[in-house]
Amino acid sequence: MGFLDIRNVTKSYGSVEVLHRVDLEAEEGEFLVLVGPSGCGKSTLLNMIAGLESITSGEIAIAGQVVNHVHPSKRNIAMVFQSYALYPNMTVAGNITFGLEMHGVPRPERERALRDVARLLQIEHLLDRKPSQLSGGQRQRVAMGRALVRDPAVFLFDEPLSNLDAKLRVDMRTEIKKLHQRLGRTIVYVTHDQIEAMTLSTRIAVMNAGHVQQFGTPKEIYDRPANLFVAGFMGSPSMNLIPATVAVEDGTPVALIRDEGGEAHRLRLSQPSLAAWAGREIVLGIRPEAITDPDGADRQSRNIQPLRARVSVIEPAGSDTFVATPLGGREVIARMRADATARPGEVFDFAVNMDKAVAFDPVTEARIP
């Protein structure tokens, strides 16, 4: 049992079930991220934790107390919304302390809490301003301050950075991570941005169509995605998913992948159990960084396989160069060093780290164990 327990929870609107038997838990001090595409149910689940949405079936417990029928104000949670939800006629100080005032907290205690939070978020110089006088990042800090001042057991963040520009999102992401490290409070954070999910979380729940597709650490989800949806959703660029046929040569399973000319390329698989799939189709999953030039290959790997293929597109990206090559009817992306010598239209010698490859059943879409 965790500090936050979500047990067999469903949510229906009439006859339509939008969340299907969700089971998740977060330990005290953990940073749990709910990630998935729009409409997957992640914000609905967050609102159920907050008490803003009713639970159709199942239980949600915080610190051992079932809160299904507990009023939101009694759950000891604080929520930061995507829209900031600041009162435009109040100063920053007023916005931050309004909740404490409504709960009858004495003025000296409110002012002390305000000073502490303002110092923590570095917004002391903004306390007398109105929200209209603030930038997007400053408004987000004020919204966070309003949550922090209450000192709750659980913080809930509903896509708090989606209204910010790209650079500010990166800066605020770092600030939220620092904040979690300082406070050690339990956080549940909703986002559709898988980079936010990977960088902020201690554990991630990947959701799609109301189902939890996989629940695990960022490393588990990145290295061992449970199915094709998780493999394609998590990672930027996403995992290459290449149709292949399994053969067995000298007792070792091999993936046969055809290029645009129909020639079969052989890549020795690192997973002995795939020998049982001889003659059958699989989807081979390989992250872009596992495909590079021979000099850039991982020296610790025991299974680097050569692959000679035509380069179709080069995309310089500063510290990296992304190289595309047509394989298995797909554009396969390799991630190389900035000084990679590959050229469009030329045949290039790639090196593929097959220790990093995973295989999926094309029928069930589940990873083959």
Side-chain angles (χ1 to χ4, degrees):
M1 179 182 292
F3 184 75
L4 170 67
D5 275 304
I6 301 168
R7 309 172 192 139
N8 207 25
V9 163
T10 68
K11 176 64 179 178
S12 298
Y13 296 104
S15 61
V16 180
E17 189 171 88
V18 297
L19 280 177
H20 314 286
R21 299 186 180 279
V22 174
D23 281 295
L24 296 171
E25 65 175 35
E27 301 299 332
E28 188 167 9
E30 194 164 15
F31 200 125
L32 168 63
V33 173
L34 310 178
V35 66
S38 297
C40 72
K42 56 189 185 295
S43 289
T44 299
L45 180 57
L46 192 79
N47 287 336
M48 292 163 73
I49 298 169
L52 304 178
E53 292 266 10
S54 62
I55 298 167
T56 302
S57 66
E59 288 184 345
I60 294 178
I62 299 174
Q65 178 192 3
V66 176
V67 296
N68 289 32
H69 304 294
V70 175
H71 191 271
S73 64
K74 306 296 183 184
R75 293 192 181 197
N76 197 19
I77 57 98
M79 195 162 182
V80 179
F81 296 92
Q82 178 181 355
S83 62
Y84 316 136
L86 301 178
Y87 297 108
N89 60 323
M90 291 186 181
T91 64
V92 166
N95 267 281
I96 291 174
T97 60
F98 181 72
L100 297 180
E101 187 175 353
M102 290 299 96
H103 281 82
V105 176
R107 185 186 183 100
E109 192 173 332
R110 295 200 308 267
E111 291 181 348
R112 184 167 57 251
L114 173 63
R115 286 195 303 272
D116 291 344
V117 166
R119 189 182 311 113
L120 181 66
L121 295 174
Q122 299 176 13
I123 56 173
E124 296 106 320
H125 61 295
L126 303 177
L127 295 179
D128 293 327
R129 295 189 192 179
K130 298 286 183 65
S132 61
Q133 299 171 301
L134 304 177
S135 68
Q138 289 169 337
R139 291 181 193 182
Q140 189 56 266
R141 286 173 186 267
V142 175
M144 289 165 57
R146 185 176 52 193
L148 287 168
V149 79
R150 293 180 52 197
D151 194 26
V154 180
F155 287 102
L156 306 179
F157 287 80
D158 189 9
E159 303 207 44
L161 308 184
S162 61
N163 290 334
L164 305 179
D165 63 53
K167 183 182 185 306
L168 196 50
R169 271 204 308 273
V170 173
D171 293 342
M172 288 302 299
R173 197 166 68 210
T174 302
E175 291 304 314
I176 290 172
K177 184 127 188 174
K178 287 179 181 175
L179 196 62
H180 177 248
Q181 291 170 349
R182 287 193 205 109
L183 298 176
R185 289 286 192 273
T186 305
I187 292 178
V188 183
Y189 187 104
V190 161
T191 183
H192 63 272
D193 185 331
Q194 48 86 25
I195 298 295
E196 279 182 31
M198 293 292 294
T199 55
L200 287 172
S201 65
T202 53
R203 280 196 291 177
I204 300 172
V206 183
M207 300 182 66
N208 189 39
H211 293 274
V212 175
Q213 301 288 318
Q214 188 171 359
F215 181 44
T217 66
K219 182 172 175 56
E220 288 167 349
I221 284 171
Y222 191 79
D223 291 345
R224 307 286 288 173
N227 54 41
L228 288 175
F229 173 80
V230 177
F233 188 79
M234 300 300 292
S236 181
S238 61
M239 178 177 273
N240 295 299
L241 301 171
I242 312 165
T245 304
V246 177
V248 176
E249 299 177 356
D250 299 326
T252 300
V254 174
L256 304 180
I257 302 172
R258 298 198 177 275
D259 63 20
E260 58 187 343
E263 180 184 350
H265 297 267
R266 288 166 162 75
L267 297 176
R268 180 164 50 86
L269 294 160
S270 296
Q271 193 174 336
S273 62
L274 288 172
W277 283 69
R280 298 169 64 186
E281 301 294 318
I282 62 169
V283 176
L284 189 65
I286 307 175
R287 294 284 180 195
E289 61 269 22
I291 308 174
T292 183
D293 61 281
D295 288 340
D298 183 0
R299 301 300 177 191
Q300 303 301 314
S301 174
R302 296 168 298 174
N303 188 10
I304 300 292
Q305 294 291 295
L307 174 67
R308 190 169 174 78
R310 184 182 66 84
V311 173
S312 57
V313 178
I314 300 290
E315 295 182 357
S319 60
D320 298 308
T321 297
F322 295 104
V323 179
T325 183
L327 282 175
R330 311 283 175 89
E331 282 286 295
V332 172
I333 305 299
R335 187 173 198 158
M336 300 192 182
R337 297 167 298 173
D339 58 356
T341 58
R343 298 288 181 270
E346 295 181 355
V347 174
F348 187 78
D349 290 314
F350 294 89
V352 184
N353 184 354
M354 293 301 289
D355 281 346
K356 298 291 186 181
V358 290
F360 301 92
D361 184 331
V363 176
T364 67
E365 299 191 352
R367 179 170 48 82
I368 301 169

